[in-house]
Amino acid sequence: MAATTCIVLGIPVQEGAGRLGCDMGPSAFRTAGLVTELRNLGYAVEDRGNIVPAPQREVRHPNGAIKALPETVAWTEAITEAAYQASGDGMPIFIGGDHSLSAGSMTGLARRAAEEGRPFFVLWLDSHPDFHTLETTTSGNLHGVPMAYATGLKGFEGFFPSVANPLNPQNVCMIGIRSVDPAERAALSTVGVTVYDMRAIDENGVAPLLDAFLKRVAAADGILHVSLDVDFLDPGIAPGVGTTVPGGATFREAHLIMEMLHDSGLVRSIDLVELNPFLDERGRTALLMVDLVSSLMGRRVLDRPTQSYRHTPKAH
């Protein structure tokens, strides 16, 4: 994987979150040594700086709870195009910024996958499914809608950019879910998303759950995107997030996931989202997130045999 050029894109979006501070995330990731760690692992790194949103247009929705809709739409337009362009040049690493950025990253990456004629898969590491539509959100915080938007659920037409290549919900695996609103639960029950909540991890361990998904991706010759939200982790080890939910993934569970992802050879892009440095403790959460990315990109204590689902790209 070291022949890959890592393309770092800062996305200082905070309008989708319920509190301020995520706009400082890209600076915190850089300060925590993300670019240096990637280079130390042998990767060429191109830091393209921070994306700026597209020009805003007047957008209003009947749901009066919705906050910052014009701003979020403008960000989504810019991120979609940046994701598409970067995915043709290397391995995009999107450093946020709140999770609304994934509305753009996933749709841009899905367009690239469609052009390559390969199925697009997403591993969603988060305490929330972010499966609200504009009609169902009651908080109005639009970091709760990106997965519903990217999978083509109804209700975004005329507000968000149209989705030319919707993500197949059956190609989504969510791990670490532990906070789901009723409307999200109802929608998830009908579309075929694979959802592993923390009880599933407690009962089975994370390895067999992730292993089954990675085998599916490899068998389909798929392109895999990983979206890692800080609140996937237990707040005891990652306090720098505005949406803390107790009972999250442990340090070892998180590192095991990253190591398995590296062993698979399947990952083509990464979101790092919801880091709020204002809520962090002396950079503790930023450093942990960079540490996890390092594991995903190949840093390990001991070399281990490659797993049988190690991906060898097919000729196209």
Side-chain angles (χ1 to χ4, degrees):
M1 194 186 277
T4 300
T5 296
C6 297
I7 300 177
V8 175
L9 300 108
I11 307 178
V13 56
Q14 64 179 351
E15 286 82 358
R19 59 192 306 171
L20 302 179
C22 284
D23 62 330
M24 298 183 286
S27 292
F29 281 120
R30 293 182 175 107
T31 302
L34 175 64
V35 171
T36 299
E37 285 295 318
L38 293 170
R39 287 178 175 149
N40 287 343
L41 288 167
Y43 295 95
V45 181
E46 179 185 345
D47 188 343
R48 294 188 175 176
N50 288 352
I51 295 172
V52 297
Q56 285 186 37
R57 54 188 173 84
E58 186 66 27
V59 187
R60 297 190 180 188
H61 191 276
N63 182 350
I66 292 177
K67 304 165 188 170
L69 181 57
E71 293 87 348
T72 305
V73 169
W75 275 110
T76 300
E77 291 174 352
I79 297 164
T80 299
E81 183 60 25
Y84 171 73
Q85 296 294 338
S87 60
D89 299 331
M91 178 178 184
I93 301 176
F94 305 94
I95 53 175
D98 70 65
H99 219 158
S100 68
L101 74 83
S102 296
S105 64
M106 289 189 293
T107 50
L109 295 166
R111 176 185 167 193
R112 176 68 61 185
E115 289 186 0
E116 294 184 14
R118 298 172 64 188
F120 181 55
F121 288 78
V122 174
L123 177 64
W124 190 260
L125 302 173
D126 195 338
S127 67
H128 308 87
D130 295 348
F131 216 66
H132 272 294
T133 67
L134 297 179
E135 285 89 356
T136 65
T137 177
T138 55
S139 73
N141 297 322
L142 295 181
H143 64 177
V145 308
M147 184 56 77
Y149 168 69
T151 52
L153 263 62
K154 301 294 183 183
F156 294 92
E157 305 88 350
F159 302 100
F160 274 67
S162 60
V163 180
N165 306 105
L167 169 61
N168 183 345
Q170 296 181 13
N171 289 353
V172 177
C173 178
M174 298 181 172
I175 296 181
I177 301 297
R178 56 194 189 279
S179 178
V180 185
D181 291 337
E184 293 177 301
R185 184 176 294 108
L188 285 167
S189 68
T190 65
V191 296
V193 173
T194 299
V195 180
Y196 295 123
D197 60 10
M198 291 307 298
R199 175 172 177 172
I201 294 175
D202 291 342
E203 291 180 343
N204 300 282
V206 74
L209 307 179
L210 179 57
D211 180 74
F213 179 64
L214 293 175
K215 285 177 177 174
R216 283 180 50 210
V217 179
D221 189 30
I223 290 173
L224 178 60
H225 174 63
V226 176
S227 195
L228 173 59
D229 189 313
V230 171
D231 72 19
F232 166 71
L233 304 164
D234 190 84
I237 61 171
V241 63
T243 51
T244 54
V245 183
T250 67
F251 180 90
R252 268 312 313 154
E253 287 168 338
H255 271 288
L256 176 58
I257 289 171
M258 298 302 122
E259 291 164 5
M260 290 178 66
L261 288 169
H262 175 74
D263 289 347
S264 77
L266 293 164
V267 179
R268 285 271 299 268
S269 51
I270 311 168
D271 293 331
L272 304 174
V273 302
E274 294 288 346
L275 174 64
N276 189 328
F278 188 76
L279 303 174
D280 206 0
E281 300 169 357
R282 300 176 65 87
R284 177 182 175 194
T285 306
L287 290 166
L288 174 56
M289 291 287 280
V290 170
D291 199 39
L292 291 172
V293 173
S294 298
S295 287
L296 189 154
M297 299 303 290
R299 193 183 69 191
R300 62 180 66 227
V301 176
L302 297 172
D303 287 331
R304 296 181 177 86
T306 300
Q307 298 300 312
S308 59
Y309 49 70
R310 177 79 188 193
H311 179 58
T312 302
K314 296 179 183 177
H316 291 280

